[in-house]
Amino acid sequence: MHNTVLVPIDMAHLKEGKSTIDIALQNAGESSQVILLNVIEDIPSWAAAQLPQGTIERSKQHARKELNSIAQSYSVPIEIDIRLGHTYKVILDVADEKEVDLIVIASHRPGFQDYYLGSTAAKVVRHANCSVHVVR
Ligand code: ADP
């Protein structure tokens, strides 16, 4: 069993996100901490200037609301965390910061692209300081 389990969730793929939460809970003990993390991808300031004002804040609120409602649908406490930055880097930073001992992450389906692991999953597997469970 793992004490602290991190589940990065892509808001565009909530269905696969829910499968990763199920696997995280199977690998978590009764007193373990399970954290759902969404990263709002940081964009250069010149590009941000083209967006309607408040776009990033609205994305954060949307992610918080969705993840809260997913977390509350489980009978165990689940923490949520929303951050801004580059996705794979934030996942690795949060894993170190919260002393995570397992990351549960989904990947592209085999044959979906030239690579068997999507870019985020591949970078997390390569650089994480803890165990990583890749769900396919
Ligand atoms: P990419 O589309 O960048 O190649 P992947 O297909 O590797 O990414 O994404 C796999 C997993 O990475 C997702 O299932 C999710 O766990 C995590 N992930 C992707 N984007 C985000 C995000 N914005 N916030 C949190 N986790 C994410």
Side-chain angles (χ1 to χ4, degrees):
M1 288 298 163
H2 298 269
N3 289 328
T4 309
V5 184
L6 181 65
V7 190
I9 305 274
D10 181 352
M11 301 313 293
H13 295 99
L14 281 181
K15 202 171 152 213
E16 70 188 19
K18 286 179 190 162
S19 323
T20 54
I21 298 171
D22 292 340
I23 288 168
L25 290 171
Q26 285 161 22
N27 285 279
E30 265 179 32
S31 58
S32 305
Q33 189 184 18
V34 175
I35 307 158
L36 309 185
L37 170 70
N38 175 249
V39 185
I40 315 278
E41 190 65 31
D42 210 2
I43 48 172
S45 52
W46 62 265
Q50 312 297 316
L51 295 173
Q53 224 180 359
T55 300
I56 289 177
E57 198 44 48
R58 274 195 299 280
S59 300
K60 277 190 192 166
Q61 283 168 7
H62 170 73
R64 191 168 296 285
K65 192 168 158 226
E66 288 282 336
L67 291 190
N68 258 327
S69 120
I70 293 170
Q72 281 162 12
S73 69
Y74 290 85
S75 55
V76 292
I78 297 181
E79 186 182 322
I80 67 163
D81 196 344
I82 316 289
R83 306 263 179 132
L84 191 66
H86 294 301
T87 303
Y88 86 93
K89 200 171 177 316
V90 173
I91 294 171
L92 296 170
D93 287 348
V94 170
D96 286 343
E97 177 191 314
K98 302 207 174 191
E99 296 180 3
V100 162
D101 46 17
L102 177 69
I103 300 171
V104 182
I105 193 166
S107 83
H108 282 131
R109 282 163 287 169
F112 202 60
Q113 275 194 341
D114 292 342
Y115 297 101
Y116 287 116
L117 284 182
S119 55
T120 306
K123 285 178 194 149
V124 170
V125 167
R126 193 168 305 128
H127 299 290
N129 292 317
C130 64
S131 301
V132 182
H133 183 131
V134 179
V135 179
R136 188 176 277 153

